[in-house]
Amino acid sequence: MHAGSGRTGLVGFNRFRIFVMATDADLLTESDSLLRHVVRTCRKSGDRTKLSDSTGVELTGADLLARAMVLRRVLRKRYLASKERNVGIILPPTVAGAVANLALALDRRVPVNLNFSLGARELQHCIDEADIRHVITSRKVLDRLKISVSAESIILEDVAASVSLVDKVLAGGTAKYLPEPLLSRLLGLTDTEQDELFTILFTSGATGEPKGAMLSNRNIHSNCNAMSQRIGISEDDVLIGVLPFFHAFGLTLTLWMPLTCDASVAYHTSPLEPEAIGTLTRKVRGTILLSTPTLLRLYERNVPADDFSSLTMVATGAERLPADTADRFETTYGIRPFEGYGATETAPVISFNVPASRWRGSGKAPIREGTVGMPIPGVQVRVIDETSGSLAESGREGLLWVKGPNVMLGYLNRDDLTAKVIDRGWYNTGDIVFQDEDGFLTITGRQSQFSKVAGETVPHLLIEGHISDILRELGDDDCDAAITAVPHLKRGERIVVVHTPMNVEPEYILRELANRGMPPLFIPYPESFVEVGTLPTLGSGKVGLSALRRLARQHFDDEGNRLRLPSTG
């Protein structure tokens, strides 16, 4: 069944109604592993450029395989122990980063792209949790980021200097000329199981302690298949890859998806450099830009219209896409961005809007502005009333659960946390949604105690804990404070501190948060403090998160600006 010919239906699951999109994406066979698919795709790409980046590096599919095989050989011979499974990567989105990921995967190891924007403590926690002994990086990256880790660094510049002619002939020649069935057998790819661990991505989650989402071959492969089918990718497409590989959005859609389909991809090291991104897009005639609303606003102010004239699709995720952001982008570049939705734990895409220009199916394109689209092929969803635990009525909001081949294996070393979010294959997203009669999803809030600010996950409990510590150190034990969020036009969400009367000004709290090394995105604004008489609580004595969110909304307008209301305390 081709993209677009799937049908949406209602299927019984106990007492729950489930929307199902049937497609080949959930019919992956054991022999059709992700890496075998990558090998075949790269082999057939011929002399066309498959990967490039703004440093000037360009590789065909065959060249990519050859480089990955050479790196695999050198890593095995000189750096990595035979039983060393998890290997860290600290590299921006570049051809080098793609080669490193592919080399480790072809060696049946687990690439762990580490979030180098984390603080030193959190980064070290990820390394310890995944038992990482080596990190692949470059001297330029380490110098620029000014970071150090306990794991031994494998410096790519040094690796390149150590490659011998024998390495190039044996590994490179094997990659280019050995028939695919023999190459796959040599690499052990014919024995790969769909539920074998493929990669680990760390997400901060609700507590602030990074959690390792374990993603399988099936998780990544099904997402790549479903997305390439939905948006009708062809060999004429060039993706612009600016999202980091330590984010699922960047890893799956700008690294592995291009390697499993006919498109090519061009990388730039940072999404925060609009001029360079515009120049790259113009040079390679980029057609697909995957981004966030925050980044689109940056580009709209700094990228000339001609630089983006070749784009045929602009998709956003990670935060809400405001209508005025879409309007301004469309006015400037003549193409309207649209929105999708996902989570690290679902590899990442759950739902997606498909613009008419990309729709290859029959009938009307599945797109509805203001929503995050319909579930992608193979993904089932159910919306559960938070109070009753039963199916929410049509058009009523509830907690979103999803099931499909994209749902993670679980959290690394945390069976307790896995059990809290996965039940019989269903994943609790923690997001409050409603689903209309046609199956389109609209996000209305979050049950989980975290927010998405400028596309980054901001944990409420971490901020809350630090504020409580600060108040306790001041002897202000009578003050209670809780963190929630409200929608914000430019940043996706605004962090709000709801508190009972306290004996210190908000500015003091904010200075202390900064002194404790809190990332700037985690620190609220002074006007984000809302004083109340008492915090709303549940019968159990816990803070009522839904009531807390509603209370905060009373103090801010729809764009996240503070309303000048008197204190309720």
Side-chain angles (χ1 to χ4, degrees), residues 75 80 84-91 97 100-101 104 109-115 123 126-127 130-138 149 151-156 199-200 202:
L75 292 175
L80 303 178
E84 192 171 344
R85 188 94 194 278
N86 302 337
V87 181
I89 299 177
I90 298 181
L91 290 169
N101 274 272
L104 292 174
R109 301 184 195 266
V110 178
V112 185
N113 289 273
L114 295 166
N115 186 344
L123 184 59
C126 297
I127 290 172
D131 191 25
I132 291 172
R133 285 177 277 169
H134 288 91
V135 172
I136 299 175
T137 185
S138 78
V149 294
E152 185 177 348
S153 295
I154 300 174
I155 306 298
L156 285 181
T199 191
I200 300 169
F202 280 91

Side-chain angles (χ1 to χ4, degrees), residues 140-186:
K140 289 181 179 179
V141 169
L142 292 182
D143 289 345
R144 189 176 80 243
L145 296 177
K146 307 296 182 185
I147 60 175
S148 61
V149 294
S150 63
E152 185 177 348
S153 295
I154 300 174
I155 306 298
L156 285 181
E157 292 92 338
D158 297 339
V159 173
S162 71
V163 174
S164 68
L165 179 60
V166 174
D167 294 328
K168 293 179 180 178
V169 171
L170 291 181
T174 297
K176 286 191 174 184
Y177 303 116
L178 194 67
E180 184 274 324
L182 294 180
L183 178 60
S184 293
R185 190 172 303 160
L186 174 69

Side-chain angles (χ1 to χ4, degrees), residues 4-66:
S5 58
R7 55 187 178 82
T8 304
L10 301 180
V11 180
F13 180 88
N14 296 337
R15 55 195 172 134
F16 300 112
R17 180 184 65 189
I18 305 168
F19 278 81
V20 181
M21 178 68 75
T23 177
D24 289 342
D26 57 346
L27 301 176
L28 302 178
T29 65
E30 295 304 314
S31 62
D32 187 30
S33 71
L34 171 60
L35 289 174
R36 292 197 71 177
H37 196 163
V38 169
V39 170
R40 289 195 298 268
T41 300
C42 289
R43 281 276 184 86
K44 77 173 187 178
S45 67
D47 295 331
R48 292 188 300 110
T49 297
K50 189 68 177 171
L51 276 75
S52 63
D53 62 31
S54 52
T55 69
V57 177
E58 296 184 0
L59 296 181
T60 67
D63 290 338
L64 169 64
L65 281 180

